[in-house]
Amino acid sequence: MRGNGKKLTTLIAGLLLASGLVWPMATAPTATASPAAPAWPTPTGQVSVNGTISVPASGLDGGMRRYCCIGDGGQEEDQDPMFLLAPGATLQNVIIGGPAGDGVHCSGPCTLRNVWWEDVGEDAATFRGSGDPAFLVDGGGARSAGDKVFQHNGPGTLTVQGFQASNFGTFYRSCGNCSTQHQRDLVIRDVTLTRPGNRVAGINTNYGDTARFSGLTIVNDPDRKMVICQKYIGNDDGDEPDENGSGPDSTHCRYSAGDISYQ
C-alpha cells in the first residue's frame, strides 16, 4: 500500500490524541505589536496670535486650526504663554505652531484634549493652581522641546494619556526648585515617546511625588538610554536639585518591566 504511510501515521496520532495518551504540541504565542501612534493632523486654517489668549472656564475648541506665533522660540524662562486657561477650562482641537512662547498655562484644573505642539521651544504646558487640582492631557502630541514638554509647578495630579512626543529633553518635570513646593502626582498611560529624549519623568522624592506608568512605548532606543523615572531632592531656594537615583520602586516610581515596551 504505497503512498498510504502518511495517512496511517496521521490516523494513529489522532487515535492516541483522542485517548489522552499524548498531548497536542504547544503553539508559540502570537506577538502583538503596540498600536501605531496617530498621524500628525493637517491644519484646517490659520489663526494669527499677537499675545496671550485667555481661555474662560467654558473652554475653547480650535477646530484643528493652527495658532501661531508668540515669542522667539528660545529657552528663556518667564515667556508669555500662548494660552492661559482659567480653572476648569478645556482647550481642544488646537495645533500650536512655533514659536509658541511658553505654550499653555493652566491656572487650575484643566483639560488639554487633542492639542498638538509643532515646535515646543521652552515648555509645551505648565500646570499651576491650589488645593488638589486634577489636570488631564488627552491625546495630541509635541515635537522639539529643547527643555521640557510638561512642567508641573502647582500641586495636584497630572494624567497624560494617548499622547506622543519626540525630540525632547524631559517629558515631565515636577518643579525641582520652585519657591513654593508641593507633593505632585503623575499618571502616564498609553503614551509613545520617540528619541532623541533624555528622561520620561523627573520627580522629587523628598516632597512625596509619585509617577505611575502603563502602556508606555519608547521608540528608537535600542540601548535603553532614556531614563524612565529620575528621582531628585527638590528645594525651594532656586538651586539645581540633586539627583536621587532612578528606576522603579514601590513608593515613588511605580512601574514594572511589563509597563514599558520598546520599538
Side-chain angles (χ1 to χ4, degrees):
M1 296 178 60
R2 294 180 60 187
N4 291 329
K6 184 175 180 181
K7 293 182 179 179
L8 181 59
T9 301
T10 303
L11 176 61
I12 294 173
L15 292 173
L16 291 173
L17 179 60
S19 67
L21 295 177
V22 296
W23 293 98
M25 293 180 63
T27 56
T30 302
T32 57
S34 300
W40 278 72
T42 300
T44 60
Q46 184 90 4
V47 178
S48 296
V49 179
N50 298 315
T52 298
I53 300 171
S54 295
V55 179
S58 57
L60 185 154
D61 188 327
M64 298 311 298
R65 293 186 295 273
R66 177 191 282 122
Y67 286 72
C68 192
C69 302
I70 186 172
D72 60 7
Q75 298 300 310
E76 295 81 9
E77 298 287 346
D78 300 322
Q79 296 184 67
D80 292 331
M82 184 177 290
F83 293 96
L84 176 60
L85 275 60
T90 295
L91 178 68
Q92 60 185 342
N93 302 323
V94 166
I95 300 172
I96 298 178
D102 202 32
V104 177
H105 284 191
C106 288
S107 54
C110 71
T111 297
L112 307 181
R113 179 169 289 119
N114 199 31
V115 177
W116 301 79
W117 289 262
E118 292 181 333
D119 188 338
V120 168
E122 217 271 306
D123 297 333
T126 302
F127 302 94
R128 297 189 171 95
S130 60
D132 189 21
F135 309 100
L136 174 63
V137 176
D138 184 15
R143 293 170 172 161
S144 301
D147 190 5
K148 301 171 295 294
V149 178
F150 296 124
Q151 174 74 30
H152 196 169
N153 289 351
T157 301
L158 170 63
T159 300
V160 184
Q161 62 186 24
F163 195 85
Q164 58 181 289
S166 60
N167 192 13
F168 56 89
T170 298
F171 182 67
Y172 166 90
R173 183 67 170 101
S174 171
C175 184
N177 54 12
C178 285
S179 58
T180 301
Q181 287 287 27
H182 307 275
Q183 188 262 321
R184 306 177 180 100
D185 300 298
L186 169 69
V187 178
I188 288 180
R189 56 180 174 235
D190 301 327
V191 166
T192 300
L193 303 179
T194 301
R195 292 194 73 217
N198 298 327
R199 288 165 296 276
V200 179
I203 62 173
N204 306 310
T205 56
N206 56 317
Y207 296 124
D209 291 355
T210 66
R212 297 173 174 84
F213 306 84
S214 62
L216 174 61
T217 301
I218 308 296
V219 181
N220 194 30
D221 190 14
D223 298 323
R224 311 294 194 259
K225 290 185 176 181
M226 190 183 296
V227 177
I228 303 300
C229 191
Q230 179 67 59
K231 305 167 196 177
Y232 295 91
I233 301 296
N235 63 73
D236 57 7
D237 53 19
D239 292 338
E240 279 300 310
D242 294 328
E243 293 184 355
N244 191 32
S246 63
D249 58 53
S250 59
T251 305
H252 301 287
C253 297
R254 303 180 182 180
Y255 65 98
S256 63
D259 295 313
I260 318 295
S261 62
Y262 291 85
Q263 293 182 354

